[in-house]
């Protein structure tokens, strides 16, 4: 191996516990002081964060500079694909299950 090849590699990203992550630390503190999980999840959702993150281990190591605190990029790709598939399936189910809209005056029960 040439000495120059070591310099070509990207430096290792700093790993920190999820509970110390700049984006999520305050949510773990909220739980620690006794706020209900549902309240914390609501706050996370309001701020555009994934509320399921609060159920992950606070000791899980994540990259400090990753705003989503994702476990790994491969897992994210799978989750995004799964979420897209679920959304498409939900839209399909809604389209199939919804009955045609009619005017109230034409509705048999009104």
């Amino acid at each position: 191996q040439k000495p120059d090849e070591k310099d070509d590699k990207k430096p290792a990203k700093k790993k920190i516990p999820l509970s110390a992550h700049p984006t999520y630390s305050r949510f773990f503190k909220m739980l620690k002081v006794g706020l209900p999980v549902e309240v914390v999840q609501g706050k996370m959702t309001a701020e555009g964060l994934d509320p399921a993150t609060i159920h992950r281990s606070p000791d899980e190591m994540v990259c400090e500079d990753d705003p989503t605190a994702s476990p790994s990029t491969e897992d994210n790709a799978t989750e995004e694909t799964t979420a897209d598939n679920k959304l498409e399936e939900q839209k399909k189910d809604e389209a199939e299950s919804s009955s045609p809209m009619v005017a109230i005056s034409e509705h048999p029960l009104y």
Side-chain angles (χ1 to χ4, degrees), residues 30-95:
M30 289 178 187
L31 289 178
K32 195 171 186 176
V33 298
L35 283 174
V37 174
E38 294 80 13
V39 172
V40 176
Q41 286 180 312
K43 183 72 173 161
M44 292 175 75
T45 302
E47 294 187 19
L49 301 171
D50 180 10
T53 305
I54 205 66
H55 293 292
R56 290 171 41 197
S57 171
D59 299 324
E60 180 181 335
M61 299 302 283
V62 295
C63 289
E64 182 177 29
D65 55 350
D66 181 0
T68 63
S70 57
S72 73
T73 53
E74 291 133 15
D75 289 345
N76 268 354
T78 304
E79 288 176 17
E80 288 175 11
T81 303
T82 303
D84 289 342
N85 291 345
K86 285 182 181 178
L87 183 60
E88 288 176 23
E89 186 176 318
Q90 183 181 10
K91 286 181 180 178
K92 182 180 174 186
D93 289 344
E94 287 175 3

